[in-house]
Amino acid sequence: MKFLTTNFLKCSVQACDTSNDNFPLSYDGSKCQLEQDESIEFNPEFLVNILDRVEWSAILQVAADLGNTSLPPNKPIFEDKNSLNEDDMAILRDLHILLIQTSIVEGEMKCKNCGHTYYIKNSIPNLLLPPHLA
Amino acid sequence: MGKKQYLLYMVQIHTNFRLAELESLADLFNLDIDFSKYDANSPFFFLELDNDEQARQWIKRSILTKAIYEYWGHGQTLDSLHDTIKQTPGFQERCKQFKNSSFKFEFENYQGGKKKDMATKVKQMESFKYLEFEGKIDLKNPQEIYTLIEEYAPAFGKAAPTVPLSYIFGRFVGSSDRSAMERYDLKKRPYKGTTSFEAELSLVSANIAQVKPGTLMYDPFAGTGSFLTAGGHFGALVIGSDIDGRMIRGKGANTDIKSNFRFYQESEKFLDVLTMDFTHNALRSNLVLDTILCDPPYGIRESIKILGARDPERFAGKEDIVIDGQKAFLRKDYIPTKKPYSLDSLLDDLLRYSAARLPIGGRLAFWMPTANDENVETIIPLHSNLELKYNCVQEFNKWSRRLLVYINRGDSFKGPTNGGQKRSPSNFRERYFTHFTK
């Protein structure tokens, strides 16, 4: 599961939708095994578009869960999306490595509201629920 | 600048989908095209556009066309073709514009006609002498390609017609994306399954759904990822989910959905596949999904299921079971139980979800099978925020399936709705297996 996906996933339990603690899920850094796939090509324009969908505070939280506290406190802003300068490219390259190339291969994530645990196996998160939570 | 005349050469296959594809692509690129002369029974569509760039842009991702040409002339015989070429407005200007360009001639036959021998080709090319092209003939890398299309009448019995119905002549402007069909052919795909959707119509679906580069596409019933593949081809970042983890897991590291993307060298377009019940959705509710494209389960191979206990009493208290000091339902190998669900409810959920998640103008496209009973009306699911834009039918012998395409118009649209009603007249799965005899 790519790091970027952690920015899209909340708890599946419908009752948690009324809480603000169902997103992002909290990741157990000691149990998460990360992998970087360097073969995934860097596409800056594409990444700039996708960044529009990203909630930066959740990126910071999940990165911290996984032991990375070196991210800028605010979401990078690009003045002119059509002509990215060298500084922009350096930032985007770092984001590409974090969001697109890094994935959680094995691991656990938990809802901060209900405490339910979800597993990631072979890079695929399992968001199914037992009947008493469905 | 005035408009120019163009000829679109289309394929005579899936004509129920062809106009929808062409309109959707025109709309995607903001092209104002007059479709009043479009004829579903003809492979030729004569139309007007501002310039070549518009023509190329419009057709470059089309699957159900071959190519677009600048129109030069059309006649029942070769002689009358030459007459119309000379009389078509702008003839002198066109000849002058391309006078010094290197060029070659190509020959196309629509249904029938023999393969031409060189002598016939040379003879036909020489009849175009009056164009007075002075550029050199370059068979490998010409600046311009001129195409003579011969249209034949359909063959009846053994006697295939040898004389064309008509001749069309044009300058090649751009080709379609029809070759993607070969590239994405299921026969060559590393990971596929019994539910994989054929390449041609999955690509057409993605065109009609207006999948755009740099946007987010979601398939809630991803299976082996056929529609994710099609969406990735057109440049979207794709995410899929399926309640059946076996499908999306694939058969090992080199035979799964992710490896298909690697195979097509589009790895950066693949976000993830999630084992998830669509009706217990974990995508955060403020995440905008630009396109939703899918083939929902119709219970043909397996009945439709969602999370939950079929018999809740039997499961009462099971949440308290502990194995090795850990709650059973929190263990990594726990497999949750599922219960049957109706197709009507699932499609209601899909429409409601799409109305909530798509941006205004965003499209939902999905496939729906129906039995071909002449006395049973097919009721299309409707939601008050969604405009039903297309309903394209593909006929099989005793059943058919249709691609339904909706545009999210928002709360103010207030269209008709039939959510919560029983629409499906019968159990499609049961009828499929009894060959529609009941």
Side-chain angles (χ1 to χ4, degrees), chain B residues 164-201:
Chain B
L165 272 183
S166 76
Y167 296 83
I168 310 174
F169 187 68
R171 180 178 60 85
F172 173 84
V173 172
S175 46
S176 73
D177 193 25
R178 194 156 175 77
S179 62
M181 251 174 76
E182 288 290 314
R183 188 165 132 81
Y184 293 94
D185 189 348
L186 287 179
K187 286 195 209 88
K188 302 174 209 158
R189 192 173 296 179
Y191 175 55
K192 56 187 175 267
T194 51
T195 57
S196 292
F197 207 98
E198 54 157 304
E200 185 176 24
L201 282 177

Side-chain angles (χ1 to χ4, degrees), chain B residues 313 315-321:
Chain B
E313 276 177 34
F315 279 83
K318 284 206 175 179
E319 63 266 30
D320 297 323
I321 295 176

Side-chain angles (χ1 to χ4, degrees), chain B residues 197-248:
Chain B
F197 207 98
E198 54 157 304
E200 185 176 24
L201 282 177
S202 58
L203 291 161
V204 169
S205 307
N207 267 337
I208 302 177
Q210 292 184 329
V211 172
K212 289 174 268 294
T215 63
L216 204 53
M217 185 198 114
Y218 173 46
D219 179 351
F221 310 103
T224 58
S226 306
F227 289 103
L228 299 180
T229 303
H233 173 65
F234 292 122
L237 181 66
V238 299
I239 183 163
S241 67
D242 204 297
I243 194 168
D244 185 351
R246 289 167 303 178
M247 286 278 213
I248 58 175

Side-chain angles (χ1 to χ4, degrees), chain A:
Chain A
M1 180 176 96
K2 296 206 168 70
F3 191 100
L4 179 56
T5 301
T6 68
N7 206 259
F8 297 160
L9 291 185
K10 66 172 179 74
C11 180
S12 310
V13 177
Q14 270 142 11
C16 292
D17 284 347
T18 53
S19 149
N20 288 325
D21 292 327
N22 69 342
F23 172 80
L25 298 170
S26 113
Y27 292 75
D28 185 337
S30 67
K31 287 180 181 156
C32 285
Q33 184 192 329
L34 304 184
E35 208 174 83
Q36 194 192 339
D37 182 353
E38 290 174 14
S39 72
I40 304 176
E41 261 177 63
F42 176 50
N43 184 338
E45 291 79 20
F46 185 74
L47 194 56
V48 168
N49 273 329
I50 296 304
L51 274 178
D52 284 347
R53 305 292 159 89
V54 162
E55 289 204 0
W56 193 253
S57 63
I59 294 279
L60 293 177
Q61 285 179 53
V62 177
D65 285 351
L66 299 173
N68 178 349
T69 49
S70 63
L71 294 173
N74 295 309
K75 180 150 122 182
I77 296 168
F78 304 98
E79 303 244 315
D80 184 0
K81 287 184 184 180
N82 297 316
S83 77
L84 297 162
N85 63 35
E86 257 174 57
D87 291 347
D88 295 341
M89 290 302 254
I91 295 168
L92 285 167
R93 212 172 285 277
D94 284 347
L95 287 174
H96 174 67
I97 293 169
L98 177 71
L99 301 178
I100 308 285
Q101 289 192 336
T102 305
S103 55
I104 306 173
V105 185
E106 297 287 325
E108 282 184 37
M109 47 199 186
K110 210 177 232 178
C111 173
K112 294 191 294 286
N113 185 53
C114 70
H116 188 65
T117 303
Y118 300 94
Y119 294 94
I120 300 161
K121 281 192 273 189
N122 288 317
S123 284
I124 298 176
N126 184 332
L127 295 142
L128 299 180
L129 295 170
H132 70 282
L133 294 176

Side-chain angles (χ1 to χ4, degrees), chain B residues 394-408:
Chain B
Q394 181 189 22
E395 301 273 358
F396 295 104
N397 184 16
K398 288 184 171 162
W399 64 289
S400 52
R401 61 181 176 189
R402 50 188 79 218
L403 178 68
L404 301 176
V405 184
Y406 303 80
I407 303 177
N408 186 21

Side-chain angles (χ1 to χ4, degrees), chain B residues 100-389:
Chain B
N100 298 311
S101 308
S102 63
F103 69 99
K104 74 167 176 179
F105 271 68
E106 282 188 348
F107 300 87
E108 294 268 353
N109 285 352
Y110 173 65
Q111 68 186 16
K114 278 189 301 189
K115 198 168 185 292
K116 270 183 209 139
D117 58 33
M118 195 38 91
T120 315
K121 285 186 183 175
V122 169
K123 202 173 150 224
Q124 287 191 334
M125 283 190 277
E126 281 176 350
S127 71
F128 286 91
K129 251 185 178 152
Y130 61 93
L131 298 175
E132 295 180 336
F133 289 151
E134 290 174 7
K136 72 171 169 69
I137 293 171
D138 182 343
L139 298 180
K140 277 195 181 141
N141 259 319
Q143 285 170 299
E144 303 300 338
I145 301 169
Y146 297 91
T147 306
L148 177 65
I149 304 172
E150 293 181 6
E151 178 194 13
Y152 288 83
F156 284 108
K158 280 179 191 164
T162 52
V163 179
L165 272 183
S166 76
Y167 296 83
I168 310 174
F169 187 68
R171 180 178 60 85
F172 173 84
V173 172
S175 46
S176 73
D177 193 25
R178 194 156 175 77
S179 62
M181 251 174 76
E182 288 290 314
R183 188 165 132 81
Y184 293 94
D185 189 348
L186 287 179
K187 286 195 209 88
K188 302 174 209 158
R189 192 173 296 179
Y191 175 55
K192 56 187 175 267
T194 51
T195 57
S196 292
F197 207 98
E198 54 157 304
E200 185 176 24
L201 282 177
S202 58
L203 291 161
V204 169
S205 307
N207 267 337
I208 302 177
Q210 292 184 329
V211 172
K212 289 174 268 294
T215 63
L216 204 53
M217 185 198 114
Y218 173 46
D219 179 351
F221 310 103
T224 58
S226 306
F227 289 103
L228 299 180
T229 303
H233 173 65
F234 292 122
L237 181 66
V238 299
I239 183 163
S241 67
D242 204 297
I243 194 168
D244 185 351
R246 289 167 303 178
M247 286 278 213
I248 58 175
R249 263 200 305 280
K251 299 165 189 152
N254 291 312
T255 318
D256 59 8
I257 296 173
K258 195 200 269 183
S259 49
N260 283 347
F261 279 81
R262 214 178 298 132
F263 177 76
Y264 296 123
Q265 298 184 314
E266 286 163 351
S267 288
E268 77 277 13
K269 304 290 161 27
F270 174 72
L271 181 56
D272 268 304
V273 281
L274 325 167
T275 304
M276 181 175 89
D277 171 11
F278 167 67
T279 68
H280 292 80
N281 209 278
L283 293 176
R284 67 172 150 87
S285 44
N286 58 353
L287 179 67
V288 176
L289 302 165
D290 299 279
T291 314
I292 297 175
L293 172 60
C294 58
D295 184 20
Y298 288 98
I300 292 179
R301 284 172 186 83
E302 246 185 301
S303 61
I304 300 165
K305 287 195 171 142
I306 62 164
L307 289 173
R310 182 198 295 259
D311 177 5
E313 276 177 34
R314 218 165 61 82
F315 279 83
K318 284 206 175 179
E319 63 266 30
D320 297 323
I321 295 176
V322 172
I323 302 173
D324 293 339
Q326 194 182 16
K327 288 249 169 131
F329 75 86
L330 290 175
R331 287 169 65 88
K332 201 167 183 174
D333 56 1
Y334 173 80
I335 298 170
T337 184
K338 291 159 198 163
K339 65 182 182 189
Y341 201 54
S342 81
L343 177 60
D344 288 341
S345 305
L346 189 69
L347 295 182
D348 281 349
D349 291 344
L350 179 61
L351 265 61
R352 203 180 311 118
Y353 184 88
S354 301
R357 306 296 182 100
L358 291 171
I360 299 296
R363 294 191 177 192
L364 157 70
F366 68 91
W367 286 83
M368 185 171 102
T370 40
N372 289 355
D373 295 345
E374 51 300 334
N375 54 353
V376 181
E377 188 199 354
T378 302
I379 305 171
I380 306 299
L382 295 170
H383 184 284
S384 58
N385 293 25
L386 303 175
E387 176 195 351
L388 177 68
K389 181 71 178 172

